């Protein structure tokens, strides 16, 4: 299992830094975020250390979303966001994969998102599809 002795999340998993643990499995660990956007904001992290999601082995992802579901239900929030960032431009601060469960109790509490959508021509969308899927 990958591990980084200097990583704050690896230290939390190892019990070297205290956390408010919510759930734990063989492969994942959930705890309360200490800088929450709203009450109930929590993190789910794999025990395998990787900076970005695509660097994780598939089996390290297998119970993260079921754990996020349990946390979301336990918060009692009827509306919430599941957020996962990869890289600085994508707003990742800690270089260990982590999923946020963020209750959205009101318009001004919880995650605030801007969504700069566009309306590209169908040919441009088809070109993107070809690149991603490898299909013509």
């Amino acid at each position: 299992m990958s591990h980084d002795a200097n990583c704050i999340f690896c230290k939390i998993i190892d019990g070297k830094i205290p956390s408010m643990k919510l759930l734990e499995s063989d492969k994942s660990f959930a705890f309360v975020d200490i800088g929450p956007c709203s009450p109930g904001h929590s993190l789910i992290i794999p025990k395998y250390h990787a900076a970005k999601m695509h660097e994780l082995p598939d089996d390290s992802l297998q119970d993260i979303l079921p754990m996020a579901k349990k946390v979301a239900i336990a918060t009692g929030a009827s509306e919430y966001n599941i957020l996962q960032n990869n890289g600085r431009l994508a707003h990742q601060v800690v270089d260990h994969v982590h999923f946020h469960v963020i209750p959205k109790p009101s318009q001004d509490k919880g995650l605030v998102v801007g969504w700069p959508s566009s309306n590209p021509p169908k040919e441009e969308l088809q070109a993107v599809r070809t690149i991603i899927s490898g299909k013509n």
Side-chain angles (χ1 to χ4, degrees), residues 110-124:
L111 185 63
V112 179
V113 178
W115 203 273
S117 60
S118 60
N119 190 17
K122 185 176 180 182
E123 297 77 26
E124 190 177 317

Side-chain angles (χ1 to χ4, degrees), residues 7-135:
C7 170
I8 189 169
F9 287 171
C10 288
K11 289 178 182 179
I12 287 172
I13 291 165
D14 290 343
K16 294 178 180 172
I17 293 177
S19 69
M20 293 184 217
K21 181 171 79 170
L22 297 168
L23 298 168
E24 183 174 9
S25 71
D26 290 342
K27 297 192 181 282
S28 303
F29 191 93
F31 57 100
V32 175
D33 192 306
I34 62 169
C37 292
S38 60
H41 182 168
S42 305
L43 298 174
I44 294 92
I45 59 176
K47 290 184 176 180
Y48 186 102
H49 178 82
K52 297 179 180 175
M53 189 180 72
H54 70 273
E55 298 169 345
L56 277 174
D58 288 350
D59 69 340
S60 291
L61 289 166
Q62 69 189 15
D63 62 5
I64 289 176
L65 286 180
M67 193 174 280
K69 177 182 173 181
K70 288 177 186 175
V71 170
I73 291 168
T75 68
S78 61
E79 300 186 35
Y80 57 91
N81 294 92
I82 303 294
L83 176 68
Q84 198 276 320
N85 304 321
N86 295 278
R88 293 295 178 264
L89 286 176
H91 309 287
Q92 183 179 14
V93 176
V94 177
D95 290 328
H96 185 119
V97 174
H98 53 288
F99 289 73
H100 295 260
V101 175
I102 308 169
K104 185 70 175 158
S106 66
Q107 191 66 30
D108 61 333
K109 293 192 179 179
L111 185 63
V112 179
V113 178
W115 203 273
S117 60
S118 60
N119 190 17
K122 185 176 180 182
E123 297 77 26
E124 190 177 317
L125 294 172
Q126 186 60 41
V128 170
R129 177 190 174 269
T130 299
I131 291 167
I132 294 172
S133 69
K135 298 177 182 177

